[in-house]
Amino acid sequence: MSTGANDPIRAYIVQEFLSGEDAEDLTDDFDLIESTVVNSLGLVRLISWISETYQIPVDDIPLEPAAYRTLADIRRFVDAAAPATPAAA
């Protein structure tokens, strides 16, 4: 999965939670939960987006916030759980 500006996960988080920020400013190890960039409602939105975008059944997605703490955490989960090709990213 891409980790640069064309990273769909990074782009989604910036678009939905950091409007107006540059996607490159969001580092892979930035704590999205601790910083409150992603709150409980945001976590539900993120999980839904991951499920739709990467065709991962919601039942197969962990619901604990620790799985979504950083971009690196999210990427590890998606890489392990997603089918080979994502849906429209």
Side-chain angles (χ1 to χ4, degrees), residues 1 6-9 11-12 15 49-50 52-55 85-89:
M1 176 166 301
N6 60 347
D7 175 3
I9 296 170
Y12 175 80
Q15 177 184 346
W49 179 83
I50 289 170
E52 290 176 22
T53 302
Y54 294 98
Q55 301 175 347
T85 306

Side-chain angles (χ1 to χ4, degrees), residues 10-62:
R10 180 187 314 271
Y12 175 80
I13 290 172
V14 169
Q15 177 184 346
E16 294 297 316
F17 304 106
L18 296 169
S19 182
E21 297 294 324
D22 183 355
E24 289 298 315
D25 291 340
L26 180 58
T27 62
D28 286 352
D29 62 349
F30 180 77
D31 194 321
L32 299 165
I33 305 297
E34 182 73 25
S35 66
T36 67
V37 167
V38 177
N39 60 21
S40 57
L41 180 57
L43 188 57
V44 171
R45 290 174 33 213
L46 178 60
I47 289 169
S48 176
W49 179 83
I50 289 170
S51 176
E52 290 176 22
T53 302
Y54 294 98
Q55 301 175 347
I56 302 170
V58 173
D59 291 344
D60 294 344
I61 295 180

